Amino acid sequence: MIEHITFGIIIDDIVFPEGETQMGVLGGGGPQTAWGMAAALGSGETVGLVAGVGDDLEPLALSPMRRAEIDLRGVRVTALPTPRAWQTLESGGKRRQTWRVPPETLGPQLARSYDVLPPEYQDARVFHWGVHLSEPDWIEFARGLRQQGRLISLEPFRAPAQSLTDEHLRAVLAACDVFSPNWDEAVQLAGTDDDEAIIERFRSLGGQILAIRRGEDGADVWNLPEGRGVHVPAIDTAVVDVVGAGNAFCGGLVARLRDGIDEAACHASVAASYLIEQVGLPPGLPNPADYARRLDEARTKRSALRLGG
C-alpha cells in the first residue's frame, strides 16, 4: 500500500561556481524527497511520486528511484515536455533557476491536486511538497487533505521577498502539520534572526511541527504546542553537492514522524547526508550497516531544546 506521497520532477542542468557543468540531473525536489522517505523507511515500496513528464525524458533517468523500489505509477507521460531548468550555483551556496521550457508547460506538469493522484495513491496518509508562499494555489489542496486526517508537510521553494503578514503565515501553517524552511527562509518569514522570537512567532500563529534546516549546522525540529524541540547535527561526510539535501531531510522526517520528533529528526539528518555525497540521487538505497552507523551518530549527538531554556 502506498502511504507516502511527494510531487514533482525537473531535469536540472547544473552550472557550478567554478564554471563546470553537469547536464540532465534528476531533480525538482520530488525524487530527492521520495529517496529520503525510502532511505528512512529502509524501502521505497510504500513511497509514491507524482509528476508529469514528456516523452523526451531519458529512459534511464528514473533508474535510481526504481532501484530504491519507489512506486512510479504517479509519473504520467504527457504531450508536454519534461520540466527542465538551468541551476546556476554560487560560491555562497545560493542558487538561481532559469527555466528551459515554455512557462505554460509548468502548471500541468508540476500540478499538485486530486486530479493527478492515481487511484493507488488516494488513501496515502503522508504528503509532502514544496510551495511558493506568494502563490497560494496549493493551499486548498493541502487543507482538504489535512481535513481528511492526512499528514501534510510543506517546504518553501525560496524565501519570500518580504515577511508574511500574520494572516498569511497563519493560513500557511493551518494547511500543514509540518513546516520546514531553511534558516534564511525562517528569518525572512519571521522578520527576525532571534531564535526564540522565530519559534514564538510560528507557535503563536498555530504552527505544529517546525523543522528549521541549518545546512552544515544541522537542524532544529520543534513540537510547537509542547514548546520543546531537538537539535540534530549534520552527519560528518564528504560534501560534493548540497542540492536536494533539504528535500531528503523533509522526506526522512515525515516518513518517521510516527516515532516522535527526536527519532524522526535523526533519520532526516541521515537521509540528507547521503544526498550531499554526489551530484543528484545516490544510485540506490544506503547500505543498512552504514545507515545504522550514521543513525547512531545522530542519536548520540542530538540535544534537547526548550523555549526559554
Side-chain angles (χ1 to χ4, degrees):
M1 178 179 176
I2 305 303
E3 296 186 351
H4 308 84
I5 302 296
T6 188
F7 295 82
I9 286 176
I10 298 171
I11 299 301
D12 291 330
D13 298 322
I14 303 173
V15 180
F16 293 96
E18 299 79 12
E20 298 175 358
T21 61
Q22 185 150 345
M23 308 293 282
V25 178
L26 183 65
Q32 293 89 342
T33 301
W35 192 94
M37 291 172 169
L41 294 165
S43 167
E45 61 185 14
T46 67
V47 178
L49 175 66
V50 178
V53 300
D55 59 11
D56 57 334
L57 185 69
E58 292 291 335
L60 294 179
L62 301 180
S63 295
M65 304 192 70
R66 293 192 178 97
R67 285 193 288 270
E69 300 181 289
I70 293 164
D71 190 283
L72 299 177
R73 284 174 290 182
V75 179
R76 62 199 183 279
V77 180
T78 78
L80 298 170
T82 303
R84 190 167 190 140
W86 289 108
Q87 302 289 348
T88 305
L89 308 183
E90 300 176 10
S91 55
K94 292 188 177 181
R95 174 176 54 166
R96 185 175 72 255
Q97 178 171 283
T98 307
W99 290 110
R100 300 191 64 190
V101 294
E104 58 268 21
T105 69
L106 300 177
Q109 298 292 61
L110 299 176
R112 294 154 174 83
S113 69
Y114 290 106
D115 295 339
V116 295
L117 293 179
E120 299 86 354
Y121 291 12
Q122 291 181 4
D123 292 328
R125 66 176 183 86
V126 176
F127 290 78
H128 173 87
W129 68 92
V131 296
H132 288 293
L133 295 174
S134 60
E135 300 172 7
D137 54 318
W138 50 269
I139 204 160
E140 289 303 320
F141 179 49
R143 283 175 177 165
L145 288 172
R146 195 173 184 219
Q147 287 169 1
Q148 296 172 16
R150 320 300 180 89
L151 189 151
I152 306 304
S153 172
L154 300 176
E155 169 191 2
F157 281 125
R158 65 178 68 91
Q162 57 189 19
S163 300
L164 301 187
T165 64
D166 284 356
E167 180 181 8
H168 191 167
L169 186 52
R170 185 181 289 111
V172 169
L173 296 174
C176 63
D177 302 275
V178 181
F179 187 64
S180 182
N182 64 30
W183 171 249
D184 290 339
E185 292 160 350
V187 168
Q188 185 62 40
L189 287 167
T192 177
D193 61 0
D194 179 81
D195 285 82
E196 188 153 326
I198 290 172
I199 305 307
E200 284 287 7
R201 182 164 196 236
F202 282 102
R203 183 167 75 156
S204 69
L205 295 177
Q208 297 298 304
I209 304 298
L210 176 68
I212 301 178
R213 296 171 281 111
R214 297 173 176 266
E216 64 183 12
D217 294 323
D220 302 334
V221 181
W222 287 89
N223 182 319
L224 294 176
E226 295 181 5
R228 70 171 192 89
V230 59
H231 173 78
V232 288
I235 302 299
D236 186 18
T237 190
V239 178
V240 174
D241 178 25
V242 300
V243 174
N247 307 127
F249 181 96
C250 291
L253 182 72
V254 296
R256 298 302 295 244
L257 201 55
R258 279 181 167 177
D259 300 325
I261 63 169
D262 299 78
E263 185 70 1
C266 291
H267 281 278
S269 182
V270 172
S273 73
Y274 287 100
L275 260 292
I276 67 177
E277 294 177 337
Q278 68 285 300
V279 177
L281 287 182
L285 288 182
N287 173 278
D290 185 67
Y291 188 94
R293 178 189 63 77
R294 298 189 194 202
L295 187 59
D296 284 343
E297 178 183 338
R299 287 168 173 163
T300 299
K301 294 182 179 179
R302 71 187 174 194
S303 56
L305 302 171
R306 186 163 291 278
L307 279 175

